[in-house]
């Protein structure tokens, strides 16, 4: 090996720690920049969830991307011991606080009945106080039963999320919603969910969910 090659090799080896340090710093800055609150109803990230409660076991996986002020989120979810499924496509704008979404789902947890729905909606975040936010949503779509046991029904859903951050670790969220059917089946349904959550760290979250439908679920969410 000639002197020029030895000098080049020595210089390359000497530069490796500097390069690694610069890469680590860049990755740290990118991680900080991309850090999201996974308890936020409008959060876009890649990750999943595991759930268990008195209505059975379930799980979810989602894939999120950001482009400027826009995000796009695709999510699939299974509940009630894999007897209920839901798919969602969500595109929020971080600048305006507005998100547009498409939801579709099916539920065969009741014997002999398979209920389905497909909706499109909008969600708007409204800061109310330093630690309190309102997420107001309106959804339009239809519901139907696979074997035509019930009539196809056009539905409108008014829903909201009131999220209060107690501190950096704990939060509470109240989610009232009302479903109105204006043809087909006479649907007049009000329900409310309450969540109490704890951030294990920036990428892991556990929360307890209860509702007026007498459901109690323990959720574990994580960001990849």
């Amino acid at each position: 090996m000639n002197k020029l090659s030895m000098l080049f090799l020595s210089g390359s080896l000497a530069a490796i720690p500097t390069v690694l340090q610069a890469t680590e710093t860049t990755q740290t800055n990118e991680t900080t920049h991309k850090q999201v609150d996974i308890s936020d109803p409008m959060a876009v990230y890649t990750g999943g969830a595991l759930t268990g409660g008195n209505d059975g076991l379930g799980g979810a996986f989602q894939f999120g991307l950001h482009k400027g002020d826009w995000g796009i989120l695709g999510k699939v979810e299974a509940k009630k011991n894999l007897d209920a499924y839901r798919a969602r496509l969500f595109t929020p704008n971080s600048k305006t606080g507005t998100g547009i979404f498409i939801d579709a789902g099916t539920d065969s947890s009741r014997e002999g009945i398979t209920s389905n729905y497909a909706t499109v909606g909008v969600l708007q975040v409204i800061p109310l106080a330093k630690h309190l936010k309102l997420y107001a949503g309106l959804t339009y779509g239809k519901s139907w039963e696979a074997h035509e046991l019930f009539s196809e029904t056009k539905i409108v859903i008014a829903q909201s999320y009131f999220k209060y951050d107690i501190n950096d670790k704990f939060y509470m969220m109240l989610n009232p919603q009302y479903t109105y059917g204006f043809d087909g089946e006479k649907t007049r349904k009000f329900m409310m969910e309450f969540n109490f959550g704890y951030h294990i760290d920036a990428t892991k979250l556990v929360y307890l969910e209860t509702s007026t439908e007498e459901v109690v679920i323990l959720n574990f969410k994580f960001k990849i």
Side-chain angles (χ1 to χ4, degrees):
M1 182 180 293
N2 58 38
K3 291 184 178 180
L4 182 61
S5 299
M6 291 182 66
L7 287 172
F8 177 78
L9 179 60
S10 299
S12 299
L13 292 174
I16 287 176
T18 304
V19 173
L20 290 176
Q21 184 178 5
T23 302
E24 184 178 356
T25 302
T26 301
Q27 290 176 343
T28 302
N29 291 337
E30 289 178 353
T31 301
T32 302
H33 178 69
K34 294 179 180 179
Q35 184 171 307
V36 296
D37 177 4
I38 62 176
S39 67
D40 191 320
M42 299 185 74
V44 173
Y45 63 94
T46 298
L50 298 173
T51 65
N54 60 357
D55 69 342
L57 301 176
F61 178 76
Q62 63 186 52
F63 182 77
L65 292 172
H66 292 89
K67 182 66 175 179
D69 295 329
W70 286 96
I72 183 167
L73 174 71
K75 182 178 181 179
V76 290
E77 181 179 2
K79 300 195 302 183
K80 301 181 180 180
N81 292 327
L82 307 184
D83 285 329
Y85 296 90
R86 174 191 177 195
R88 163 172 278 207
L89 182 64
F90 185 43
T91 57
N93 185 291
S94 59
K95 188 173 183 179
T96 64
T98 306
I100 301 170
F101 58 88
I102 300 173
D103 271 349
T106 183
D107 187 339
S108 58
S109 58
R110 290 189 295 171
E111 186 175 355
I113 298 175
T114 301
S115 56
N116 306 292
Y117 73 90
T119 59
V120 59
V122 61
L123 189 66
Q124 178 66 48
V125 58
I126 304 170
L128 299 178
K130 183 177 180 180
H131 300 291
L132 178 64
K133 292 180 180 179
L134 165 64
Y135 303 80
L138 189 64
T139 301
Y140 170 79
K142 66 177 182 178
S143 63
W144 71 96
E145 204 282 323
H147 309 293
E148 299 184 356
L149 297 177
F150 309 120
S151 301
E152 180 177 300
T153 305
K154 293 178 182 177
I155 56 175
V156 171
I157 304 173
Q159 66 183 101
S160 57
Y161 301 87
F162 293 90
K163 182 173 182 289
Y164 178 71
D165 294 311
I166 301 171
N167 53 38
D168 292 339
K169 289 291 187 179
F170 292 95
Y171 76 94
M172 297 185 299
M173 185 157 61
L174 192 66
N175 174 23
Q177 66 178 55
Y178 183 75
T179 304
Y180 181 87
F182 54 90
D183 65 1
E185 298 295 320
K186 186 178 179 179
T187 304
R188 308 286 188 273
K189 182 181 178 182
F190 173 82
M191 66 92 66
M192 185 180 297
E193 293 179 351
F194 174 75
N195 296 345
F196 180 75
Y198 171 74
H199 291 273
I200 300 171
D201 57 32
T203 63
K204 293 183 287 294
L205 165 71
V206 61
Y207 68 94
L208 184 67
E209 173 187 330
T210 62
S211 78
T212 52
E213 296 186 333
E214 299 182 351
V215 174
V216 180
I217 304 173
L218 184 63
N219 298 264
F220 171 71
K221 295 176 70 173
F222 58 91
K223 177 180 179 292
I224 299 173

